[in-house]
Amino acid sequence: MAGNETAFLDYDSDLVRKGWVKEGLIQTAAHSFWAAYTGNTGESVVYQKNMTSVAEGNNIIFDYDGYLTGEMALDREQALGKGEGKRKFSSSLKIRRGRIPVNNGDKFRGKEIGDLSITEHGDSRRKLADLWVRHKDQAHFDAIQGRLDSLNNSHIYRPNNRATIANLVSTDVMSYNFILELSEKMIEGSGFAVGGKRMPLKPFTLQNGERVWNLLLDNTAFFQLKRDTRFQDLVAQGDLRGANNFLFKGQPMQIGNLIVSTAPVFFGSSTDRRAGKTKPEISGLRKLDEDGLYTGEAGFGAATKIIASRSVLLGAGALQYGMGMEPNYNFEWSADHKITSESLLEVWFNVQKTQLLPESVDYDEARIGNMDYGVIAVDTYASVGV
């Protein structure tokens, strides 16, 4: 079907129409920044669940099993009645319906896809699928940066333990030493500028079986790191020939079990902080100013305001992504004697940072519940508003 743009497709067949648009979404899904991070278990950075029976307003439940921590009964000490209860954690994701329209102009002259130029429907499908991927990707970026639905990051690390973005100064930049400090605090689960004692981030698994974390850098932080003298020396010594060298090739690179990479820069504008309420020209990480405003929001980066690069440290289960009912493609003529038309992509979805609720009790020290499970925000100085 994908290779024959003149084939007949019965628009009035719900099954055929939905299969056709789903095919287009699958073809475009590989272009998503988050595709490589996504899997169907909590071991991936993005834990995706597909439930085609779920419509908007209904919830998809994500369950997580805890582990046991009880002490032993030694020698003849009584064990009966001292068994530790099993811990269980869960969260729910409410599905939303998103609709993306496109004005086809006056190119169409019929109703059945097979009676029209299917290339026009194919063009609408491609453009709508591309925009859908950018909307979905931006929702992922906004979630990990603490912007989506204004669900702030529970844990934030800053250079020199700066309490707020307003306290950042021009020397509080991304550097090799700062990455070492960040790695230490992440493993210890303490010492953050924002957020208390927590379980260390759980690493995710690469295709080769290696267990790693990912420091996803904002573009400004990325170039700050490349300018760091100590970092330059270490990377240059690591590969004298320059082949695949981070300084020349860019990214990613690995420091121990930490993969350092950079994300695209956001271009666009936003009307509010819900998924889909952004015009994403390019999906990516946003800057954040001392007033809590992000790139693309009205008032961001006002004169004299400190602007931060918000990078993120990612582990397993950082995000939850749910897909509900099968996507749909609709076509509507204008009321003015069908002089123009619109096509529309309809999707049921949502995304959120993973924040788990203990169904019984949490751990005493390595706490999990009611905090970001798999992400730590990392703020460094970027600029001052003008």
Side-chain angles (χ1 to χ4, degrees):
M1 187 183 300
N4 184 3
E5 293 275 86
T6 61
F8 179 83
L9 289 174
D10 184 1
Y11 178 84
D12 288 329
S13 168
D14 187 65
L15 181 63
V16 171
R17 188 180 70 253
K18 288 186 175 182
W20 177 75
V21 72
K22 185 177 181 180
E23 177 190 53
L25 293 181
I26 291 173
Q27 292 169 356
T28 312
H31 301 157
S32 169
F33 177 87
W34 294 99
Y37 289 87
T38 302
N40 58 7
T41 73
E43 297 300 309
S44 304
V45 174
V46 182
Y47 181 4
Q48 177 174 343
K49 272 194 174 185
N50 300 324
M51 301 191 70
T52 57
S53 62
V54 176
E56 71 269 20
N58 295 302
N59 292 320
I60 293 178
I61 304 300
F62 292 81
D63 291 313
Y64 295 75
D65 283 324
Y67 54 85
L68 299 176
T69 63
E71 63 181 31
M72 294 180 179
L74 297 176
D75 301 328
R76 290 185 173 274
E77 294 176 343
Q78 180 175 325
L80 184 64
K82 296 183 178 179
E84 177 188 7
K86 296 179 181 179
R87 289 177 171 85
K88 189 84 171 177
F89 301 84
S90 65
S91 65
S92 63
L93 178 65
K94 181 175 287 187
I95 292 298
R96 293 183 179 273
R97 179 171 64 168
R99 297 185 297 162
I100 309 173
V102 59
N103 189 328
N104 297 313
D106 60 358
K107 294 182 179 181
F108 289 167
R109 290 288 184 270
K111 181 173 183 296
E112 297 296 339
I113 294 178
D115 295 338
L116 305 171
S117 168
I118 193 174
T119 57
E120 293 298 339
H121 281 288
D123 182 62
S124 295
R125 180 183 70 168
R126 279 189 294 271
K127 287 181 168 61
L128 289 168
D130 171 69
L131 179 53
W132 155 242
V133 167
R134 278 182 279 125
H135 272 298
K136 176 175 66 70
D137 275 10
Q138 194 55 50
H140 284 59
F141 283 118
D142 285 351
I144 59 172
Q145 287 195 295
R147 180 185 179 275
L148 188 66
D149 298 320
S150 295
L151 184 59
N152 296 327
N153 292 93
S154 67
H155 288 76
I156 304 171
Y157 193 68
R158 301 188 181 104
N160 301 304
N161 206 29
R162 304 296 187 193
T164 68
I165 289 176
N167 297 131
L168 292 173
V169 298
S170 60
T171 54
D172 292 329
V173 297
M174 184 62 61
S175 67
Y176 181 76
N177 284 342
F178 178 66
I179 289 178
L180 294 181
E181 293 172 9
L182 172 64
S183 300
E184 180 183 16
K185 300 305 179 186
M186 183 268 295
I187 293 171
E188 293 176 349
S190 62
F192 305 102
V194 176
K197 184 90 171 168
R198 57 163 299 144
M199 176 177 285
L201 295 190
K202 184 178 179 181
F204 59 95
T205 306
L206 299 176
Q207 289 185 343
N208 63 6
E210 188 175 9
R211 305 277 286 171
V212 298
W213 300 273
N214 180 204
L215 177 59
L216 187 60
L217 295 178
D218 157 277
N219 68 301
T220 301
F222 168 67
F223 286 109
Q224 289 171 349
L225 179 60
K226 289 185 72 172
R227 287 191 292 266
D228 179 56
T229 303
R230 186 180 181 200
F231 180 76
Q232 290 176 351
D233 291 342
L234 290 169
V235 174
Q237 292 169 14
D239 189 346
L240 297 177
R241 296 168 301 170
N244 296 319
N245 191 297
F246 185 84
L247 295 176
F248 304 113
K249 297 290 186 178
Q251 53 88 30
M253 70 163 295
Q254 190 165 339
I255 303 173
N257 291 99
L258 180 67
I259 292 177
V260 181
S261 58
T262 185
V265 180
F266 170 77
F267 285 79
S269 60
S270 302
T271 54
D272 69 40
R273 294 188 175 183
R274 291 173 293 168
K277 304 306 288 184
T278 286
K279 294 180 179 179
E281 298 171 12
I282 300 176
S283 300
L285 291 177
R286 305 176 191 243
K287 295 287 195 297
L288 175 62
D289 71 19
E290 64 178 83
D291 290 336
L293 296 175
Y294 291 82
T295 310
E297 295 182 339
F300 165 80
T304 74
K305 300 295 183 181
I306 300 296
I307 299 173
S309 293
R310 172 153 288 184
S311 305
V312 286
L313 182 59
L314 300 172
L319 293 172
Q320 296 168 336
Y321 171 52
M323 286 295 291
M325 296 173 61
E326 294 283 357
N328 196 12
Y329 175 87
N330 289 311
F331 177 78
E332 190 77 31
W333 287 112
S334 68
D336 187 16
H337 301 280
K338 301 183 179 180
I339 193 171
T340 61
S341 67
E342 288 192 356
S343 295
L344 180 139
L345 175 65
E346 196 170 24
V347 290
W348 285 262
F349 78 105
N350 208 351
V351 61
Q352 65 185 12
K353 279 186 306 180
T354 302
Q355 290 197 347
L356 302 177
L357 297 176
E359 296 187 4
S360 53
V361 293
D362 204 341
Y363 299 100
D364 293 332
E365 289 286 314
R367 301 185 67 81
I368 292 177
N370 302 297
M371 65 181 67
D372 297 341
Y373 178 76
V375 57
I376 295 170
V378 182
D379 291 344
T380 50
Y381 178 91
S383 63
V384 178
V386 293

